Amino acid sequence: MVNYSPITRSIQSMIREKLGDDIIISAPELLSEYASDASKLTFAPELVVCARNARDIQVLMELANNYNFPVTPRGGGSGPAGDFRQTHEGVVLFTGG
């Protein structure tokens, strides 16, 4: 099993610096919106990145590889089968537009 790093303030600052504040969600009251899909299985993320394009995804994945934090992709969250299941904290990569 892989031991992932938590999203420290330093890592969060690097993500914000590389991607900009406008696509980062970190407020606890907003994170809960990204904690499940239509199945209602929940696991709260530490941070959400709302990707605008392929470059955002590339930058986030490079940071995740360099700093060993997990990234869970998420679309619109409408699936009732529980396909969106975070198994670790970390970043939810929102691609649902």
Side-chain angles (χ1 to χ4, degrees):
M1 180 172 199
V2 177
N3 290 323
Y4 290 109
S5 298
I7 305 299
T8 63
R9 286 186 180 179
S10 174
I11 290 172
Q12 192 174 129
S13 292
M14 280 187 279
I15 294 170
R16 288 181 185 283
E17 180 183 314
K18 299 275 187 184
L19 296 173
D21 284 332
D22 58 323
I23 66 166
I24 308 295
I25 297 171
S26 59
E29 64 275 11
L30 298 177
L31 290 175
S32 62
E33 295 177 30
Y34 298 88
S36 68
D37 59 13
S39 72
K40 303 303 178 200
L41 298 171
T42 62
F43 200 101
E46 295 174 86
L47 196 69
V48 175
V49 173
C50 301
R52 298 167 291 209
N53 52 47
R55 181 198 166 276
D56 290 345
I57 296 168
Q58 179 183 1
V59 168
L60 179 64
M61 296 311 294
E62 286 174 357
L63 289 169
N65 284 326
N66 290 338
Y67 296 97
N68 197 39
F69 60 85
V71 176
T72 303
R74 181 185 194 276
S78 61
D83 292 334
F84 168 75
R85 278 175 276 178
Q86 267 182 280
T87 56
H88 303 282
E89 294 178 326
V91 174
V92 165
L93 171 60
F94 179 65
T95 61

